[in-house]
Amino acid sequence: MTAIGIAMTGSGAAVPPIAFDNHQLSHIVETSDEWIATRTGIRARHIAKGDRAVTDLAAGAARHALQMAELAPEKVDLIVLATSTPDDLFGSASVVQAAIGAKQAVAFDLTAACSGFLFAVVTAAQFIRTGTYQNAVVIGADVLSRWVDWDDRRTCVLFGDGAGAVVLQADDRDRLLGYELRSDGSQNDCLNLPFGGTEKSLTDGVAVSQGTYRPVVMNGQEVYKFAVKKVPEVIEKALFRANLTPEAIDWLLLHQANQRILDAVAKRLRIDGEKVVSNLSKYGNTSAASIPIALDEWVRSGQIQPGQIVASSGFGAGLTWGAAIFEWGR
Ligand code: ACO
């Protein structure tokens, strides 16, 4: 089969209108703007409401990305929605498909927490490279505000809601230059959002577990150590696959978890701070959405230009982590 390349031709983002800053948060839990900002760089986050929030945000981001790519929704073959917080446990991607009018597309959800967007980009890329599909929309969308314990200051200060999307299209030249994906379930307990049921007996010897998910649990220090060790390693691996060195990177686009993680990774890779994409002060950690939201902001402000090399890395629950090196635009 002929190898077909991939171009990223559009980006889009959508965040809920309601912003919630650190000062407001300090009325809910014992914290302060100073503590949150110095430990994380976060100043505010946006909070979604409603039962269809993930679908609405994801559809909004996808529409913006399609507009930038000048691609009609009917031409979309594939939609991959990376989310850990679907509106419907059976999946939200098909509802997004209907909302944007992508009648010909197949749509499915993919879950890999904060690495989900990168995992979804690589997944969609396989379908394009094999020639199966021509046009894909990859969306990262999460509404973790539903699942954090708003009484737990160790976690609730970190997260925000939003969605971001990109359009991937088949092209003669491959702009996905290299990637590497990893996971390690033995460290799952560092960060999870576990199902917690209570046993209900149906009949003699037959019982089911019924309930819902418990709020996000995180060992912040372990996650921090994991991120600053594994993210530079996986970026180096992806660069190796792309036959590039860190000097070739125009932009370092990391999952927007914490400014200290961004700075530590940039330092280890010897990448100048001016090349580090960061907008987490406004949005907090939006999980699978953070990379495409930041990408979209940098593209629309003219900072990321067509032809520039972006080194991107996602990391988070699972544990999962990964990196992709790509050239923006066509
Ligand atoms: N406000 C005020 N004080 C707080 C807060 C808060 N919001 N949260 C914790 N504290 C207190 C603790 O109770 C503790 O007090 P103590 O010493 O009296 O017990 C003290 O601050 C220090 O707590 P630590 O947990 O040790 O704080 P740390 O310096 O590790 O910072 C943080 C915490 C910011 C969470 C850090 O560990 C971190 O950034 N880790 C990475 C987490 C991350 O990025 N997760 C997301 C990635 S994966 C994904 O995106 C799903």
Side-chain angles (χ1 to χ4, degrees):
M1 199 175 285
T2 327
I4 296 166
I6 293 141
M8 265 193 210
T9 57
S11 66
V15 290
I18 298 164
F20 189 43
D21 69 21
N22 292 347
H23 295 290
Q24 292 169 292
L25 197 45
S26 69
H27 297 300
I28 296 184
V29 285
E30 199 183 326
T31 189
S32 63
D33 176 56
E34 200 263 333
W35 193 97
I36 302 169
T38 47
R39 301 279 176 134
T40 70
I42 297 165
R43 294 273 183 192
R45 70 286 297 143
H46 288 241
I47 304 291
K49 63 177 182 183
D51 295 341
R52 274 181 49 106
V54 170
T55 305
D56 291 344
L57 290 166
R63 282 191 201 101
H64 291 311
L66 287 167
Q67 278 159 8
M68 187 188 285
E70 298 180 349
L71 185 70
E74 302 80 35
K75 301 263 185 201
V76 176
D77 306 304
L78 171 69
I79 297 170
V80 186
L81 171 62
T83 185
S84 306
T85 56
D87 296 331
D88 179 342
L89 265 188
F90 289 146
S92 290
S94 54
V95 186
V96 174
Q97 174 208 8
I100 66 172
K103 294 190 179 74
Q104 305 300 324
V106 61
F108 59 85
D109 290 25
L110 181 154
T111 301
C114 304
S115 313
F117 175 75
L118 267 191
F119 280 36
V121 164
V122 171
T123 300
Q126 310 309 313
F127 286 101
I128 295 177
R129 280 187 173 164
T130 55
T132 311
Y133 297 132
Q134 309 293 303
N135 302 313
V137 177
V138 176
I139 310 162
D142 269 310
V143 174
L144 271 169
S145 64
R146 286 177 182 164
W147 296 109
V148 293
D149 176 353
W150 287 99
D151 292 326
D152 178 7
R153 67 178 184 176
R154 291 165 302 157
T155 51
C156 75
V157 302
L158 303 174
F159 298 101
D161 303 335
V166 292
V167 173
L168 301 185
Q169 294 189 266
D171 201 85
D172 295 342
R173 192 157 69 78
D174 202 353
R175 273 87 163 178
L176 179 59
L177 307 172
Y179 63 83
E180 178 78 9
L181 307 179
R182 308 299 304 241
S183 51
D184 178 5
S186 71
Q187 291 194 74
N188 180 265
D189 59 354
C190 288
L191 176 57
N192 56 26
L193 205 174
F195 180 77
T198 45
E199 201 168 279
K200 179 182 152 115
S201 170
L202 297 182
T203 182
D204 270 359
V206 183
V208 289
S209 177
Q210 293 219 300
T212 184
Y213 293 85
R214 298 207 186 106
V216 176
V217 188
M218 183 178 73
N219 181 332
Q221 290 186 3
E222 284 306 313
V223 173
Y224 183 89
K225 281 190 265 176
F226 146 75
V228 298
K229 179 169 189 298
K230 296 295 186 185
V231 173
E233 278 176 20
V234 83
I235 291 175
E236 276 172 346
K237 195 83 186 236
L239 280 168
F240 174 77
R241 296 198 189 286
N243 203 16
L244 293 171
T245 57
E247 293 77 57
I249 296 172
D250 292 305
W251 296 102
L252 183 65
L253 172 62
L254 304 183
H255 166 48
Q256 305 284 298
N258 181 318
Q259 189 62 44
R260 289 193 301 161
I261 294 177
L262 270 53
D263 294 342
V265 172
K267 195 172 165 200
R268 284 212 188 171
L269 292 170
R270 295 201 176 83
I271 291 175
D272 197 87
E274 286 171 8
K275 296 180 174 181
V276 180
V277 175
S278 173
N279 66 1
L280 59 85
S281 66
K282 293 184 286 188
Y283 304 118
N285 176 347
T286 56
S287 192
S290 87
I291 292 174
I293 291 176
L295 173 68
D296 185 58
E297 184 174 332
W298 256 245
V299 167
R300 284 179 196 267
S301 63
Q303 296 178 85
I304 293 183
Q305 292 280 332
Q308 288 191 321
I309 306 284
V310 179
S312 185
S313 177
F315 49 93
L319 296 177
T320 55
W321 65 106
I325 316 296
F326 61 89
E327 192 184 303
W328 172 254
R330 166 143 79 182

